[in-house]
Amino acid sequence: MKKLSIISLSLALSACASQQASQPNTETLEQLSALSAQQTSVLSQCESISERLAAQQQRFDQLEEKVVAIVPAPVSSNKATAPSCSKQASYKLGNKTVLGESEWVSLQGQKHAFQARIDTGAATSSLNATDIVKFERDGKNWVRFNLRHKTIDTDIIVERPVIRTAEVTQASTNTVDKRPVVSMLVKLGPISEKAQFTLTDRNHLSYPVLLGRSFLKDISVVDISQKFTQAKPTFKD
C-alpha cells in the first residue's frame, strides 16, 4: 500500500512538470508568429513605397523630356567673343523694352554712363547724392550735390531745381527724414524718359542709381536673370 502511494505521487509530479514545460513553448511559438506577421506587414509597406517612388521617377523623366523638347537648341555662332556693348540689340515684349536687373543709364547733362539697379519692388527712383547744398535761383529752390560713388572715380557736381520734398521714415529710429526730389531725363537703351529721383547717400549700395516702378511702368518689363542687356548710352548719341 505504501509503495502504491509513492508511485501515484511520482506520476502526479511528472504530469505537473510536463504541463509547466509545455507552456513556455506555446508562448514562444505565439511570439514568433506575431513577429513573422509584423515582418510581412513591413515588407508589404516597403514594396508599396518602392512602387510609388518608381511611378514618381517615371513622371519626372516624362516631364524632363517635355522640357527638353520645349527649350530651343542654342544657336551656334562663328564668333568666339560676345558682341560689343555698343552693338547690342534691344529686346521687346509687345511694345515694352525687356531690361535686366541692372543696366547702364545716362542722365541729363552728364557725359558719363552710370550703373543702375532696376527694381520693380521700389515704388520710386533714387540717385546717389552727397554734400547736398540747398539754394535759391530765380526765386526757385535748387539743390547742388556730388554724384560721386564707389563705382565712379571722379567728383560729379550736379545742380537741379527741386520739384518737391519726400518724407522718408527711418525704420531704425522711426524719425522722418526730408529729402529733395529732382527731375532728370534718363536714357536707357531705346528708352528716353524723365524720372523723379529722391536724393540720398547710396555709397553703401552697389549702384549709384535705382530705377523704380514709377519710371518702369508701361514702358518696360524686367528679366531678373539678365544684366546689362542694353548698350551703354550717352547724350552724345
Short mmCIF file of all heavy atoms in Angstrom, two decimals, residues 111-175:
data_model
loop_
_atom_site.label_atom_id
_atom_site.label_comp_id
_atom_site.label_asym_id
_atom_site.label_seq_id
_atom_site.Cartn_x
_atom_site.Cartn_y
_atom_site.Cartn_z
N LYS A 111 28.05 113.38 -69.14
CA LYS A 111 28.72 112.65 -70.21
C LYS A 111 28.96 111.19 -69.83
O LYS A 111 29.19 110.35 -70.69
CB LYS A 111 30.06 113.31 -70.54
CG LYS A 111 29.92 114.73 -71.07
CD LYS A 111 31.29 115.33 -71.35
CE LYS A 111 31.18 116.76 -71.86
NZ LYS A 111 32.50 117.36 -72.12
N HIS A 112 28.93 110.90 -68.53
CA HIS A 112 29.21 109.55 -68.05
C HIS A 112 27.95 108.68 -68.14
O HIS A 112 26.83 109.18 -68.08
CB HIS A 112 29.68 109.57 -66.60
CG HIS A 112 30.94 110.34 -66.38
ND1 HIS A 112 32.20 109.79 -66.48
CD2 HIS A 112 31.14 111.65 -66.07
CE1 HIS A 112 33.11 110.71 -66.24
NE2 HIS A 112 32.50 111.85 -65.99
N ALA A 113 28.17 107.39 -68.26
CA ALA A 113 27.10 106.40 -68.10
C ALA A 113 27.22 105.82 -66.69
O ALA A 113 28.32 105.66 -66.17
CB ALA A 113 27.20 105.30 -69.14
N PHE A 114 26.08 105.53 -66.08
CA PHE A 114 26.07 105.05 -64.71
C PHE A 114 25.39 103.68 -64.63
O PHE A 114 24.44 103.41 -65.37
CB PHE A 114 25.31 106.04 -63.81
CG PHE A 114 25.83 107.44 -63.87
CD1 PHE A 114 25.27 108.36 -64.74
CD2 PHE A 114 26.89 107.84 -63.07
CE1 PHE A 114 25.75 109.66 -64.81
CE2 PHE A 114 27.37 109.14 -63.13
CZ PHE A 114 26.81 110.05 -63.99
N GLN A 115 25.87 102.87 -63.70
CA GLN A 115 25.22 101.58 -63.47
C GLN A 115 23.98 101.81 -62.61
O GLN A 115 24.03 102.49 -61.60
CB GLN A 115 26.18 100.62 -62.76
CG GLN A 115 27.40 100.26 -63.57
CD GLN A 115 28.30 99.30 -62.83
OE1 GLN A 115 27.85 98.50 -62.03
NE2 GLN A 115 29.60 99.39 -63.10
N ALA A 116 22.88 101.22 -63.05
CA ALA A 116 21.60 101.41 -62.36
C ALA A 116 21.00 100.08 -61.96
O ALA A 116 21.08 99.09 -62.70
CB ALA A 116 20.61 102.17 -63.25
N ARG A 117 20.42 100.06 -60.78
CA ARG A 117 19.65 98.90 -60.31
C ARG A 117 18.22 99.06 -60.78
O ARG A 117 17.58 100.09 -60.55
CB ARG A 117 19.69 98.85 -58.78
CG ARG A 117 18.79 97.77 -58.17
CD ARG A 117 19.56 96.47 -58.03
NE ARG A 117 18.86 95.57 -57.13
CZ ARG A 117 18.00 94.63 -57.51
NH1 ARG A 117 17.73 94.47 -58.80
NH2 ARG A 117 17.44 93.84 -56.63
N ILE A 118 17.70 98.05 -61.49
CA ILE A 118 16.33 98.07 -61.98
C ILE A 118 15.48 97.28 -60.99
O ILE A 118 15.61 96.06 -60.89
CB ILE A 118 16.23 97.46 -63.39
CG1 ILE A 118 17.32 98.03 -64.31
CG2 ILE A 118 14.85 97.67 -63.97
CD1 ILE A 118 17.25 99.54 -64.50
N ASP A 119 14.65 97.99 -60.24
CA ASP A 119 13.98 97.36 -59.09
C ASP A 119 12.47 97.61 -59.14
O ASP A 119 12.00 98.69 -58.81
CB ASP A 119 14.56 97.93 -57.79
CG ASP A 119 14.08 97.17 -56.57
OD1 ASP A 119 13.26 96.25 -56.73
OD2 ASP A 119 14.53 97.49 -55.46
N THR A 120 11.73 96.58 -59.54
CA THR A 120 10.26 96.71 -59.57
C THR A 120 9.67 96.68 -58.17
O THR A 120 8.50 96.99 -57.97
CB THR A 120 9.65 95.57 -60.40
OG1 THR A 120 10.06 94.30 -59.84
CG2 THR A 120 10.09 95.65 -61.85
N GLY A 121 10.48 96.32 -57.18
CA GLY A 121 10.00 96.32 -55.80
C GLY A 121 10.01 97.69 -55.16
O GLY A 121 9.42 97.89 -54.09
N ALA A 122 10.70 98.65 -55.78
CA ALA A 122 10.77 100.02 -55.25
C ALA A 122 9.75 100.88 -55.99
O ALA A 122 9.68 100.87 -57.22
CB ALA A 122 12.17 100.58 -55.42
N ALA A 123 8.98 101.65 -55.25
CA ALA A 123 7.94 102.48 -55.87
C ALA A 123 8.55 103.65 -56.62
O ALA A 123 8.10 104.02 -57.71
CB ALA A 123 6.96 102.98 -54.82
N THR A 124 9.60 104.26 -56.05
CA THR A 124 10.21 105.45 -56.65
C THR A 124 11.66 105.20 -57.00
O THR A 124 12.24 104.17 -56.64
CB THR A 124 10.11 106.64 -55.67
OG1 THR A 124 10.78 106.29 -54.44
CG2 THR A 124 8.66 106.98 -55.37
N SER A 125 12.26 106.16 -57.70
CA SER A 125 13.66 106.07 -58.09
C SER A 125 14.51 106.91 -57.13
O SER A 125 14.02 107.86 -56.51
CB SER A 125 13.84 106.57 -59.53
OG SER A 125 13.03 105.83 -60.41
N SER A 126 15.78 106.57 -57.02
CA SER A 126 16.67 107.34 -56.16
C SER A 126 18.04 107.48 -56.82
O SER A 126 18.43 106.67 -57.67
CB SER A 126 16.82 106.69 -54.78
OG SER A 126 17.44 105.42 -54.87
N LEU A 127 18.76 108.52 -56.40
CA LEU A 127 20.04 108.87 -57.00
C LEU A 127 21.04 109.17 -55.90
O LEU A 127 20.71 109.83 -54.91
CB LEU A 127 19.87 110.09 -57.90
CG LEU A 127 21.08 110.58 -58.70
CD1 LEU A 127 21.51 109.53 -59.72
CD2 LEU A 127 20.73 111.89 -59.42
N ASN A 128 22.26 108.66 -56.07
CA ASN A 128 23.28 108.91 -55.06
C ASN A 128 23.59 110.41 -54.99
O ASN A 128 23.77 111.08 -56.02
CB ASN A 128 24.56 108.15 -55.40
CG ASN A 128 25.62 108.31 -54.34
OD1 ASN A 128 25.43 107.93 -53.19
ND2 ASN A 128 26.74 108.92 -54.71
N ALA A 129 23.66 110.95 -53.78
CA ALA A 129 23.94 112.38 -53.60
C ALA A 129 24.60 112.60 -52.24
O ALA A 129 24.06 112.18 -51.21
CB ALA A 129 22.66 113.20 -53.70
N THR A 130 25.76 113.24 -52.25
CA THR A 130 26.43 113.65 -51.03
C THR A 130 26.74 115.15 -51.12
O THR A 130 26.63 115.74 -52.19
CB THR A 130 27.73 112.85 -50.82
OG1 THR A 130 28.59 113.05 -51.95
CG2 THR A 130 27.44 111.36 -50.67
N ASP A 131 27.11 115.72 -49.98
CA ASP A 131 27.43 117.17 -49.93
C ASP A 131 26.28 117.99 -50.51
O ASP A 131 26.49 118.90 -51.33
CB ASP A 131 28.73 117.46 -50.70
CG ASP A 131 29.90 116.62 -50.20
OD1 ASP A 131 29.96 116.36 -48.99
OD2 ASP A 131 30.73 116.22 -51.03
N ILE A 132 25.06 117.68 -50.10
CA ILE A 132 23.87 118.36 -50.63
C ILE A 132 23.79 119.79 -50.08
O ILE A 132 23.89 120.01 -48.87
CB ILE A 132 22.60 117.58 -50.27
CG1 ILE A 132 22.64 116.18 -50.91
CG2 ILE A 132 21.35 118.34 -50.71
CD1 ILE A 132 21.48 115.29 -50.52
N VAL A 133 23.64 120.75 -50.98
CA VAL A 133 23.50 122.16 -50.61
C VAL A 133 22.25 122.71 -51.27
O VAL A 133 22.09 122.64 -52.49
CB VAL A 133 24.74 122.99 -51.05
CG1 VAL A 133 24.54 124.46 -50.70
CG2 VAL A 133 26.01 122.44 -50.41
N LYS A 134 21.36 123.29 -50.45
CA LYS A 134 20.14 123.90 -50.99
C LYS A 134 20.37 125.40 -51.18
O LYS A 134 21.00 126.05 -50.36
CB LYS A 134 18.98 123.66 -50.03
CG LYS A 134 18.64 122.19 -49.82
CD LYS A 134 17.53 122.01 -48.79
CE LYS A 134 17.24 120.54 -48.54
NZ LYS A 134 16.17 120.34 -47.52
N PHE A 135 19.82 125.93 -52.30
CA PHE A 135 19.96 127.36 -52.55
C PHE A 135 18.80 127.83 -53.42
O PHE A 135 18.02 127.02 -53.93
CB PHE A 135 21.32 127.66 -53.21
CG PHE A 135 21.51 127.03 -54.56
CD1 PHE A 135 21.28 127.76 -55.73
CD2 PHE A 135 21.95 125.71 -54.69
CE1 PHE A 135 21.47 127.19 -56.97
CE2 PHE A 135 22.14 125.13 -55.93
CZ PHE A 135 21.90 125.87 -57.08
N GLU A 136 18.70 129.14 -53.62
CA GLU A 136 17.65 129.72 -54.46
C GLU A 136 18.25 130.26 -55.76
O GLU A 136 19.35 130.80 -55.77
CB GLU A 136 16.92 130.86 -53.72
CG GLU A 136 15.92 130.37 -52.70
CD GLU A 136 15.03 131.49 -52.20
OE1 GLU A 136 15.09 132.61 -52.79
OE2 GLU A 136 14.29 131.28 -51.23
N ARG A 137 17.49 130.10 -56.83
CA ARG A 137 17.89 130.64 -58.13
C ARG A 137 16.62 131.12 -58.84
O ARG A 137 15.71 130.32 -59.05
CB ARG A 137 18.64 129.60 -58.95
CG ARG A 137 19.02 130.08 -60.36
CD ARG A 137 19.82 129.01 -61.09
NE ARG A 137 21.13 128.80 -60.48
CZ ARG A 137 21.97 127.83 -60.83
NH1 ARG A 137 21.61 126.97 -61.78
NH2 ARG A 137 23.14 127.72 -60.23
N ASP A 138 16.58 132.38 -59.16
CA ASP A 138 15.42 132.98 -59.82
C ASP A 138 14.15 132.75 -59.01
O ASP A 138 13.07 132.46 -59.56
CB ASP A 138 15.26 132.44 -61.24
CG ASP A 138 16.46 132.75 -62.12
OD1 ASP A 138 17.09 133.79 -61.89
OD2 ASP A 138 16.76 131.93 -63.01
N GLY A 139 14.30 132.82 -57.69
CA GLY A 139 13.13 132.67 -56.82
C GLY A 139 12.67 131.24 -56.63
O GLY A 139 11.62 131.02 -56.01
N LYS A 140 13.42 130.27 -57.14
CA LYS A 140 13.03 128.86 -57.02
C LYS A 140 14.08 128.10 -56.21
O LYS A 140 15.24 128.48 -56.15
CB LYS A 140 12.88 128.22 -58.41
CG LYS A 140 11.75 128.83 -59.24
CD LYS A 140 11.62 128.12 -60.57
CE LYS A 140 10.49 128.71 -61.41
NZ LYS A 140 10.36 128.03 -62.72
N ASN A 141 13.64 127.02 -55.58
CA ASN A 141 14.53 126.18 -54.78
C ASN A 141 15.34 125.25 -55.68
O ASN A 141 14.78 124.53 -56.51
CB ASN A 141 13.73 125.35 -53.77
CG ASN A 141 13.04 126.19 -52.73
OD1 ASN A 141 13.58 127.22 -52.29
ND2 ASN A 141 11.85 125.79 -52.30
N TRP A 142 16.64 125.31 -55.49
CA TRP A 142 17.56 124.44 -56.22
C TRP A 142 18.39 123.65 -55.21
O TRP A 142 18.39 123.93 -54.02
CB TRP A 142 18.49 125.27 -57.12
CG TRP A 142 17.85 125.72 -58.41
CD1 TRP A 142 16.76 126.51 -58.55
CD2 TRP A 142 18.29 125.36 -59.72
NE1 TRP A 142 16.47 126.70 -59.87
CE2 TRP A 142 17.40 126.01 -60.62
CE3 TRP A 142 19.33 124.60 -60.23
CZ2 TRP A 142 17.54 125.90 -62.01
CZ3 TRP A 142 19.47 124.49 -61.61
CH2 TRP A 142 18.57 125.12 -62.49
N VAL A 143 19.12 122.66 -55.77
CA VAL A 143 20.00 121.85 -54.93
C VAL A 143 21.27 121.53 -55.71
O VAL A 143 21.24 121.32 -56.93
CB VAL A 143 19.27 120.55 -54.48
CG1 VAL A 143 19.03 119.62 -55.64
CG2 VAL A 143 20.06 119.83 -53.39
N ARG A 144 22.37 121.54 -55.00
CA ARG A 144 23.67 121.15 -55.58
C ARG A 144 24.17 119.93 -54.80
O ARG A 144 24.12 119.91 -53.56
CB ARG A 144 24.67 122.30 -55.46
CG ARG A 144 26.06 121.97 -56.04
CD ARG A 144 27.05 123.09 -55.77
NE ARG A 144 26.61 124.36 -56.35
CZ ARG A 144 26.25 125.41 -55.62
NH1 ARG A 144 26.25 125.36 -54.29
NH2 ARG A 144 25.86 126.53 -56.21
N PHE A 145 24.65 118.93 -55.53
CA PHE A 145 25.12 117.72 -54.84
C PHE A 145 26.22 117.05 -55.65
O PHE A 145 26.42 117.34 -56.84
CB PHE A 145 23.95 116.73 -54.62
CG PHE A 145 23.26 116.28 -55.88
CD1 PHE A 145 23.63 115.12 -56.55
CD2 PHE A 145 22.21 117.02 -56.41
CE1 PHE A 145 22.99 114.71 -57.70
CE2 PHE A 145 21.55 116.62 -57.57
CZ PHE A 145 21.93 115.46 -58.21
N ASN A 146 26.92 116.13 -54.98
CA ASN A 146 28.01 115.37 -55.61
C ASN A 146 27.50 113.96 -55.90
O ASN A 146 27.05 113.24 -55.00
CB ASN A 146 29.22 115.31 -54.68
CG ASN A 146 30.47 114.81 -55.40
OD1 ASN A 146 30.39 114.22 -56.48
ND2 ASN A 146 31.64 115.02 -54.80
N LEU A 147 27.58 113.56 -57.16
CA LEU A 147 27.08 112.26 -57.60
C LEU A 147 28.14 111.16 -57.47
O LEU A 147 27.88 110.02 -57.79
CB LEU A 147 26.60 112.37 -59.05
CG LEU A 147 25.37 111.56 -59.49
CD1 LEU A 147 24.80 112.13 -60.78
CD2 LEU A 147 25.72 110.10 -59.72
N ARG A 148 29.30 111.51 -57.00
CA ARG A 148 30.40 110.53 -56.92
C ARG A 148 29.99 109.31 -56.08
O ARG A 148 29.35 109.43 -55.04
CB ARG A 148 31.65 111.17 -56.31
CG ARG A 148 32.84 110.20 -56.27
CD ARG A 148 34.12 110.92 -55.94
NE ARG A 148 35.27 110.03 -56.05
CZ ARG A 148 36.52 110.45 -56.17
NH1 ARG A 148 36.78 111.74 -56.22
NH2 ARG A 148 37.52 109.58 -56.26
N HIS A 149 30.40 108.13 -56.59
CA HIS A 149 30.04 106.85 -55.97
C HIS A 149 31.27 105.96 -56.03
O HIS A 149 32.22 106.24 -56.77
CB HIS A 149 28.85 106.24 -56.73
CG HIS A 149 28.31 104.98 -56.16
ND1 HIS A 149 28.67 103.73 -56.62
CD2 HIS A 149 27.43 104.75 -55.15
CE1 HIS A 149 28.01 102.80 -55.95
NE2 HIS A 149 27.26 103.39 -55.03
N LYS A 150 31.26 104.87 -55.28
CA LYS A 150 32.42 103.96 -55.30
C LYS A 150 32.64 103.34 -56.68
O LYS A 150 33.74 102.83 -56.96
CB LYS A 150 32.24 102.86 -54.25
CG LYS A 150 31.00 102.00 -54.42
CD LYS A 150 30.85 101.05 -53.25
CE LYS A 150 29.59 100.20 -53.35
NZ LYS A 150 29.42 99.32 -52.17
N THR A 151 31.63 103.37 -57.54
CA THR A 151 31.79 102.88 -58.92
C THR A 151 32.24 103.99 -59.86
O THR A 151 32.43 103.74 -61.05
CB THR A 151 30.47 102.29 -59.44
OG1 THR A 151 29.45 103.31 -59.40
CG2 THR A 151 30.02 101.11 -58.57
N ILE A 152 32.39 105.21 -59.35
CA ILE A 152 32.79 106.38 -60.16
C ILE A 152 34.04 106.98 -59.55
O ILE A 152 34.09 107.26 -58.35
CB ILE A 152 31.66 107.44 -60.17
CG1 ILE A 152 30.34 106.80 -60.63
CG2 ILE A 152 32.02 108.61 -61.06
CD1 ILE A 152 29.12 107.68 -60.40
N ASP A 153 35.08 107.18 -60.36
CA ASP A 153 36.38 107.59 -59.82
C ASP A 153 36.61 109.10 -59.85
O ASP A 153 37.75 109.56 -59.75
CB ASP A 153 37.50 106.87 -60.59
CG ASP A 153 37.48 107.18 -62.09
OD1 ASP A 153 36.60 107.96 -62.51
OD2 ASP A 153 38.34 106.64 -62.81
N THR A 154 35.55 109.88 -59.97
CA THR A 154 35.73 111.32 -60.01
C THR A 154 34.51 112.02 -59.41
O THR A 154 33.41 111.44 -59.36
CB THR A 154 35.94 111.81 -61.47
OG1 THR A 154 36.21 113.21 -61.47
CG2 THR A 154 34.71 111.54 -62.30
N ASP A 155 34.70 113.25 -58.95
CA ASP A 155 33.57 114.04 -58.45
C ASP A 155 32.69 114.48 -59.63
O ASP A 155 33.19 114.87 -60.68
CB ASP A 155 34.07 115.28 -57.71
CG ASP A 155 34.71 114.93 -56.37
OD1 ASP A 155 34.34 113.89 -55.80
OD2 ASP A 155 35.59 115.69 -55.92
N ILE A 156 31.39 114.41 -59.44
CA ILE A 156 30.43 114.87 -60.44
C ILE A 156 29.45 115.79 -59.73
O ILE A 156 28.56 115.33 -59.01
CB ILE A 156 29.69 113.69 -61.10
CG1 ILE A 156 30.69 112.73 -61.77
CG2 ILE A 156 28.69 114.20 -62.13
CD1 ILE A 156 30.04 111.49 -62.35
N ILE A 157 29.62 117.09 -59.92
CA ILE A 157 28.77 118.08 -59.27
C ILE A 157 27.56 118.36 -60.16
O ILE A 157 27.71 118.68 -61.33
CB ILE A 157 29.54 119.38 -58.98
CG1 ILE A 157 30.81 119.06 -58.18
CG2 ILE A 157 28.66 120.36 -58.22
CD1 ILE A 157 30.57 118.35 -56.86
N VAL A 158 26.39 118.25 -59.57
CA VAL A 158 25.14 118.40 -60.31
C VAL A 158 24.30 119.48 -59.63
O VAL A 158 24.22 119.53 -58.39
CB VAL A 158 24.34 117.07 -60.36
CG1 VAL A 158 23.04 117.25 -61.13
CG2 VAL A 158 25.19 115.96 -60.97
N GLU A 159 23.66 120.34 -60.43
CA GLU A 159 22.71 121.33 -59.92
C GLU A 159 21.37 121.12 -60.62
O GLU A 159 21.31 121.09 -61.84
CB GLU A 159 23.21 122.75 -60.16
CG GLU A 159 24.45 123.11 -59.35
CD GLU A 159 24.86 124.56 -59.55
OE1 GLU A 159 24.29 125.23 -60.46
OE2 GLU A 159 25.75 125.04 -58.83
N ARG A 160 20.31 120.97 -59.81
CA ARG A 160 18.97 120.75 -60.37
C ARG A 160 17.94 121.49 -59.53
O ARG A 160 18.09 121.64 -58.31
CB ARG A 160 18.62 119.25 -60.38
CG ARG A 160 19.53 118.38 -61.21
CD ARG A 160 19.46 118.69 -62.67
NE ARG A 160 18.10 118.55 -63.20
CZ ARG A 160 17.75 118.96 -64.41
NH1 ARG A 160 18.62 119.56 -65.19
NH2 ARG A 160 16.52 118.78 -64.82
N PRO A 161 16.84 121.94 -60.15
CA PRO A 161 15.75 122.53 -59.37
C PRO A 161 15.04 121.46 -58.55
O PRO A 161 14.91 120.31 -59.00
CB PRO A 161 14.82 123.12 -60.44
CG PRO A 161 15.14 122.38 -61.69
CD PRO A 161 16.59 122.01 -61.61
N VAL A 162 14.59 121.81 -57.37
CA VAL A 162 13.85 120.88 -56.50
C VAL A 162 12.37 120.94 -56.88
O VAL A 162 11.76 122.00 -56.85
CB VAL A 162 14.05 121.24 -55.02
CG1 VAL A 162 13.23 120.30 -54.13
CG2 VAL A 162 15.53 121.18 -54.64
N ILE A 163 11.79 119.81 -57.24
CA ILE A 163 10.39 119.79 -57.64
C ILE A 163 9.47 119.50 -56.46
O ILE A 163 8.30 119.86 -56.48
CB ILE A 163 10.14 118.79 -58.79
CG1 ILE A 163 10.52 117.38 -58.36
CG2 ILE A 163 10.93 119.19 -60.02
CD1 ILE A 163 10.15 116.32 -59.40
N ARG A 164 9.99 118.84 -55.44
CA ARG A 164 9.21 118.57 -54.24
C ARG A 164 10.14 117.99 -53.18
O ARG A 164 11.33 117.77 -53.44
CB ARG A 164 8.05 117.60 -54.50
CG ARG A 164 8.48 116.22 -54.99
CD ARG A 164 7.27 115.36 -55.34
NE ARG A 164 7.67 114.06 -55.88
CZ ARG A 164 7.90 112.98 -55.13
NH1 ARG A 164 7.77 113.04 -53.80
NH2 ARG A 164 8.26 111.84 -55.69
N THR A 165 9.61 117.77 -51.99
CA THR A 165 10.37 117.16 -50.90
C THR A 165 9.67 115.87 -50.48
O THR A 165 8.46 115.86 -50.25
CB THR A 165 10.48 118.11 -49.70
OG1 THR A 165 11.16 119.30 -50.12
CG2 THR A 165 11.26 117.46 -48.56
N ALA A 166 10.45 114.79 -50.39
CA ALA A 166 9.89 113.49 -49.98
C ALA A 166 10.17 113.27 -48.50
O ALA A 166 11.27 113.57 -48.01
CB ALA A 166 10.51 112.37 -50.81
N GLU A 167 9.19 112.75 -47.79
CA GLU A 167 9.36 112.42 -46.38
C GLU A 167 9.55 110.91 -46.26
O GLU A 167 8.69 110.13 -46.63
CB GLU A 167 8.15 112.87 -45.57
CG GLU A 167 8.00 114.39 -45.50
CD GLU A 167 6.88 114.82 -44.57
OE1 GLU A 167 6.11 113.94 -44.12
OE2 GLU A 167 6.78 116.03 -44.28
N VAL A 168 10.72 110.53 -45.73
CA VAL A 168 11.07 109.11 -45.60
C VAL A 168 11.21 108.78 -44.13
O VAL A 168 12.00 109.43 -43.41
CB VAL A 168 12.39 108.80 -46.35
CG1 VAL A 168 12.73 107.32 -46.20
CG2 VAL A 168 12.27 109.18 -47.82
N THR A 169 10.47 107.79 -43.65
CA THR A 169 10.54 107.37 -42.25
C THR A 169 11.67 106.37 -42.06
O THR A 169 11.71 105.34 -42.75
CB THR A 169 9.21 106.75 -41.80
OG1 THR A 169 8.16 107.70 -41.99
CG2 THR A 169 9.27 106.36 -40.33
N GLN A 170 12.60 106.68 -41.15
CA GLN A 170 13.70 105.77 -40.86
C GLN A 170 13.21 104.63 -39.97
O GLN A 170 12.65 104.86 -38.90
CB GLN A 170 14.83 106.53 -40.15
CG GLN A 170 15.43 107.67 -40.96
CD GLN A 170 16.19 107.16 -42.19
OE1 GLN A 170 16.70 106.04 -42.19
NE2 GLN A 170 16.26 107.98 -43.21
N ALA A 171 13.40 103.40 -40.44
CA ALA A 171 12.90 102.24 -39.69
C ALA A 171 13.61 102.08 -38.35
O ALA A 171 13.00 101.66 -37.36
CB ALA A 171 13.06 100.98 -40.53
N SER A 172 14.89 102.41 -38.30
CA SER A 172 15.68 102.18 -37.08
C SER A 172 15.33 103.17 -35.97
O SER A 172 15.31 102.82 -34.79
CB SER A 172 17.17 102.26 -37.40
OG SER A 172 17.48 103.52 -37.97
N THR A 173 15.04 104.43 -36.34
CA THR A 173 14.78 105.47 -35.34
C THR A 173 13.34 105.96 -35.35
O THR A 173 12.93 106.71 -34.47
CB THR A 173 15.71 106.67 -35.59
OG1 THR A 173 15.45 107.20 -36.90
CG2 THR A 173 17.17 106.24 -35.50
N ASN A 174 12.57 105.54 -36.37
CA ASN A 174 11.16 105.97 -36.51
C ASN A 174 11.04 107.49 -36.65
O ASN A 174 10.01 108.07 -36.31
CB ASN A 174 10.33 105.48 -35.31
CG ASN A 174 8.85 105.38 -35.68
OD1 ASN A 174 8.50 105.12 -36.84
ND2 ASN A 174 7.98 105.58 -34.71
N THR A 175 12.10 108.12 -37.17
CA THR A 175 12.07 109.56 -37.42
C THR A 175 11.84 109.81 -38.90
O THR A 175 12.13 108.96 -39.75
CB THR A 175 13.39 110.22 -36.98
OG1 THR A 175 14.48 109.60 -37.69
CG2 THR A 175 13.60 110.06 -35.48
#
